[in-house]
Amino acid sequence: MTIVINNASRHFARALKEMAKIDGASVSMEKDSYPKTLVKSLLDADKEIKRSRKKGTLKTYDSVEALFADL
């Protein structure tokens, strides 16, 4: 039997592992996370966008058509 539990806390995961030991079952868990380099890259890009917006150097568009017209 396969059971999938999403967004479980560490405490729940630990309890689940202990219950599996009682029954002789095995438990495999995957930690949902993004690569650290991706997270850092996105945070850096967000900072750059905020800086550009604050300086007034970031060009924004009201519609996709306006964006494509400018390309």
Side-chain angles (χ1 to χ4, degrees), residues 3-23:
I3 299 172
V4 177
I5 300 171
N6 295 315
N7 300 321
S9 68
R10 284 183 292 150
H11 302 293
F12 182 80
R14 189 176 316 144
L16 187 62
K17 285 180 183 180
E18 293 301 319
M19 289 189 318
K21 285 181 187 177
I22 294 170
D23 191 40

Side-chain angles (χ1 to χ4, degrees), residues 4 6-7 17 30 33 35 41 44-45 47 57 59 61 64 70:
V4 177
N6 295 315
N7 300 321
K17 285 180 183 180
E30 295 177 10
S33 64
S41 172
D44 289 345
K47 286 179 187 176
T57 59
K59 186 167 185 178
Y61 298 93
V64 174
D70 200 28

Side-chain angles (χ1 to χ4, degrees), residues 17-70:
K17 285 180 183 180
E18 293 301 319
M19 289 189 318
K21 285 181 187 177
I22 294 170
D23 191 40
S26 64
V27 176
S28 62
M29 297 186 184
E30 295 177 10
K31 184 177 180 181
D32 294 334
S33 64
Y34 296 102
K36 289 181 182 181
T37 55
L38 174 64
V39 172
K40 184 180 180 335
S41 172
L42 291 173
L43 291 174
D44 289 345
D46 185 50
K47 286 179 187 176
E48 183 180 342
I49 289 169
K50 287 179 181 177
R51 261 188 258 118
S52 296
R53 183 177 285 165
K54 192 173 184 178
K55 290 180 181 177
T57 59
L58 180 69
K59 186 167 185 178
T60 59
Y61 298 93
D62 293 326
S63 67
V64 174
E65 290 81 16
L67 168 70
F68 285 128
D70 200 28

